């Protein structure tokens, strides 16, 4: 049997994850079956199971792959853009989140809600998600420290607020579907007056 390249293997893995995201968006994490994912992927059961041994493993990979890519994207944007205020940060990040999340056939913001719920049940997933969000909040705190705050405690408080705004916007976007990032940036600037 010919050996496939690492690139081809990763492409196949992403094909399966794309099918899982489509199914999760449509039916939820637990109503979706492996047969659903196999059917949408267009691959054989053997091919899918050679990458993911169970649906729990697939859920874990779907959530962590999304978080890993989003964390990298947002971290790079913050480091390159160096926003000087919360409204600037919102103006920078919310369009990136929307472009990242809205895909052809599914919206990762809706799937994020499912992942947060699953993390309450699945301790391994919960621990990994806490790690991602704690690291991102730390990055927000380092950024906020440069905004003329008086102490590390103030920077930490601002970081917690900013993470709440970011996660809350994901929730509103998933549920209400009418929360453009520009409005959040405007709201933050109005509060800062």
């Amino acid at each position: 049997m010919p050996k496939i390249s690492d690139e081809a293997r990763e492409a196949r893995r992403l094909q399966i994850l794309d099918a899982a995201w489509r199914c999760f968006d449509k039916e939820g994490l637990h109503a979706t079956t492996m047969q659903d994912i196999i059917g949408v992927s267009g691959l054989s059961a053997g091919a899918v199971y050679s990458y993911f041994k169970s649906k729990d493993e697939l859920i874990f990979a779907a959530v962590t792959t999304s978080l890993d890519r989003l964390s990298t994207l947002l971290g790079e944007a913050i480091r390159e853009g160096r926003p000087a205020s919360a409204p600037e940060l919102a103006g920078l990040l919310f369009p990136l989140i929307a472009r990242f999340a809205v895909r052809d056939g599914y919206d990762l913001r809706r799937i994020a809600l499912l992942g947060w719920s699953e993390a309450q049940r699945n301790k391994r997933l919960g621990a990994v998600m806490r790690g991602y969000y704690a690291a991102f909040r730390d990055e927000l705190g380092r950024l906020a420290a440069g905004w003329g705050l008086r102490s590390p405690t103030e920077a930490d408080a601002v970081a917690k607020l900013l993470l709440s705004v970011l996660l809350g916007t994901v929730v509103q976007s998933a549920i209400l579907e009418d929360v453009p990032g520009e409005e959040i940036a405007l709201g933050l600037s109005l509060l800062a007056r």
Side-chain angles (χ1 to χ4, degrees), residues 70-79 81 83 86-100 136 139-140 143 147 162-163 166 169-170 181-182 185:
L70 183 60
S71 295
T72 299
L73 179 70
L74 297 181
E76 288 172 355
I78 289 170
R79 286 185 292 280
E88 279 186 35
L89 178 71
L92 174 68
L93 297 188
F94 289 123
L96 285 175
I97 292 169
R99 283 194 303 273
F100 172 82
F136 186 61
E139 188 159 3
L140 292 172
L143 178 65
W147 293 347
L162 291 172
L163 184 59
L166 286 164
T169 301
V170 169
E182 305 83 39

